[in-house]
Amino acid sequence: MTSYLRFFAGHVGRVVLALVFALPLVFMLVSSFKPDDQIFGDLGSLRAFLPVGALSLDNYTGVFERVPAARFLLNSVLISSITVVLGVIVNSLAAFALSRMRWPGRKLVLTAVIATLIVPFETFALPLVWWINQLPLLRVNGFHLEWTTGWMDTYQVQILPLVANAFSIFFFHQYFQSIPKEIDEAAIVDGAGWFTIYRRIVMPLSGPAVATVAILTFLPAWNSYLWPLMVVQSEELRPVMVGLSYFFQLNVSWGQIMAYSSMITVPILALFVAFQRSFVNSIASTGVKG
Amino acid sequence: MTTLTAARERPRPVRRTRKTHARRREGLTALGMAAPAVVLLIVFVVVPLALTFALAFTDARLISPTPARFVGLDNFTRLFQDPVFFKSLRNTAYFAAVVVPLQGGLALVLALLVNAKVRGVNFFRTVYFLPVVTSMVVVSLLWTFLYRQDGLVNHVLSALTLGHVEGRDWLGDPATAMPAIILMSVWQGVGFHMIIWLAGLQTIPAELYEAADLDGATRWHRFRHVTWPGLRATRTFVLITITIQALGLFTQINVMTEGGPLDSTTTVVYQAMRTGYEQQQTAYAASISLVFFVLVLAVSLVQRFLTREKD
């Protein structure tokens, strides 16, 4: 009897908490289909969370009139997908060298990499802006290539700083250590090189780790706001989050803000729900050891 | 006997050179594989960090006709006489001191709730994680709307208490602005640490629980003597990651309050960004970053020391 009660209490707790986490997001999505005056009118009742009343896509058409939303979406898809691909390759290569191969200085490099975890990006963002203005850049000018300096207003300035990531390296490192090293020795006896072991043996065995690092690289790339605000001036290179600032100029429409927020959030939530099983299992299987 | 030893020893010199050769090749390959990540980290983290530290001792400005001069500790002298800096230190410490236990503890409760073997548990895990996947900028905007005087939070509170709680402007009042931001930040971030705790819970062998049951342990005893000790490594990880994340509080402040009202929500990183970017006092901002870096380093080292393995 008590165990039944306990089960019941646990379930009530789970449901109440689910409401706490889901309702603000439900409110955002539902409001995106309502006119501004109805959003405010519905706040006093449960209607705030329900798709009722004068529902329309007006806020969405308004969004496309107000900002070049399609261009922003395209930019963000481009930036985040390249960041994810490069991030998975670069960080797994480094983690492979750090966890499975023997070389002098390995421990030192691993410690230094993990040490970069404690520095929030904002603390060195400003000197980074100055610094990227000194970096050389190969630009296409008409029919020939020419060297210039300064990475302001480019795609790569939005991609490359996000690629190498201490957390991803650490995560791959932990995962690779759970794969028996005897496999490497056997492969070497068979004449395989280290790169072959990485590409043909270790990476194919690391699917869940790749999925996790892909998600954890994608999110900051898709969500980046401050950095593109500082280094991108041209509208045609801007990512989605920067688009949010357009809605606070002139007449503020909360319906449009909810519509734009839903547009840039809901696809990501859907992607996450589709992949969440491998994500959760992968973190669980590495058993993160601090 | 002698022939045997000789036979065993003869191939050795050959093998050794081959072995050192293989070692050297292994080392070179490893360096090549680690190089892209290491170079990117040097270019985009180490160099700008070193620049920050160097700039802190100059009078550099973002746009300036004269080149930067070395000014020694001037920026730090100014910093330690700046009341807003001390306010931002206090606010950052307050935020971290509340968020670390609150988010860590709530995440553990959530993990225990979704670690039960009941139907639909996967659904709850997913729902609790949704805010983590949502951008902090979007979350901050959404909650700015919810926290308004005529916003949803006030309506829900009034409905739950049958009108006993007075509506207030949560972000406009110096007394409630920071607590409101704390609640929202925990709401957004707790799902991630739930997953980390869950990972830890799943490494605890089921036999330990069976043994505890055989000994007639109560649920509390099971938690106290099996679960809690089994989560030692996870605890360190959760503690250090939430602390670093909390000390870096910036986006929420930038979007929701811009440090106000009356500097009640200004934080160290926000101060550094505002003086450096909006007011273009690059060197002064760099000195704030340097002090901040030293503080975070000190806190992490203390935490590492306190949670070290006591073998």
Side-chain angles (χ1 to χ4, degrees), chain A residues 47-178:
Chain A
R47 290 166 61 90
F49 304 110
L50 299 173
V52 289
L55 303 181
S56 74
L57 290 174
D58 287 357
N59 289 326
Y60 288 86
T61 47
V63 161
F64 281 96
E65 280 160 21
R66 196 160 179 161
V67 300
R71 180 71 202 217
F72 292 171
L73 281 166
L74 184 76
N75 287 339
S76 274
V77 168
L78 188 75
I79 292 165
S80 358
S81 48
I82 297 177
T83 309
V84 166
V85 172
L86 289 178
V88 166
I89 297 173
V90 164
N91 294 315
S92 64
L93 274 172
F96 181 87
L98 288 168
S99 67
R100 301 185 81 82
M101 298 169 75
R102 276 177 305 179
W103 45 289
R106 179 176 64 138
K107 281 246 166 68
L108 187 76
V109 171
L110 185 65
T111 315
V113 165
I114 291 174
T116 66
L117 271 177
I118 71 162
V119 211
F121 174 75
E122 287 84 3
T123 55
F124 58 85
L126 272 170
L128 185 55
V129 173
W130 177 84
W131 168 235
I132 58 144
N133 257 326
Q134 324 296 317
L135 293 176
L137 174 70
L138 194 59
R139 252 193 215 280
V140 186
N141 184 8
F143 290 101
H144 55 273
L145 294 168
E146 62 169 21
W147 282 102
T148 53
T149 45
W151 283 22
M152 288 298 238
D153 243 1
T154 55
Y155 279 120
Q156 70 262 33
V157 75
Q158 302 184 65
I159 295 171
L160 289 176
L162 295 172
V163 168
N165 179 291
F167 190 80
S168 302
I169 296 174
F170 175 70
F171 193 81
F172 272 127
H173 179 264
Q174 298 294 94
Y175 200 91
F176 289 167
Q177 288 206 318
S178 69

Side-chain angles (χ1 to χ4, degrees), chain B residues 122-238:
Chain B
N122 225 18
F123 168 80
F124 291 108
R125 282 180 195 171
T126 310
V127 172
Y128 302 162
F129 201 83
L130 288 182
V132 179
V133 186
T134 312
S135 138
M136 189 52 109
V137 179
V138 169
V139 167
S140 301
L141 277 176
L142 177 62
W143 281 80
T144 306
F145 188 68
L146 301 182
Y147 275 139
R148 286 158 60 116
Q149 176 95 49
D150 58 354
L152 200 57
V153 167
N154 281 329
H155 282 290
V156 169
L157 279 178
S158 153
L160 288 178
T161 59
L162 303 169
H164 285 293
V165 169
E166 287 267 314
R168 53 164 85 226
D169 181 8
W170 295 93
L171 295 173
D173 183 341
T176 55
M178 193 53 119
I181 291 175
I182 287 174
L183 267 185
M184 183 204 78
S185 306
V186 171
W187 177 86
Q188 196 269 343
V190 73
F192 182 76
H193 292 99
M194 168 193 78
I195 300 286
I196 306 286
W197 282 123
L198 194 61
L201 287 173
Q202 290 177 349
T203 60
I204 301 173
E207 298 86 60
L208 289 180
Y209 287 109
E210 285 158 19
D213 284 343
L214 281 179
D215 291 345
T218 62
R219 279 175 72 88
W220 166 247
H221 279 125
R222 266 172 39 153
F223 178 80
R224 179 74 191 79
H225 297 289
V226 180
T227 312
W228 190 243
L231 292 174
R232 209 198 54 80
T234 317
R235 223 153 51 215
T236 312
F237 184 83
V238 168

Side-chain angles (χ1 to χ4, degrees), chain A residues 6 51 57 95 100 118 162 166 197 215 229 235 238:
Chain A
R6 192 167 278 143
L57 290 174
R100 301 185 81 82
I118 71 162
L162 295 172
I197 299 173
I215 292 179
L229 210 57
E235 190 166 80
R238 285 193 171 144

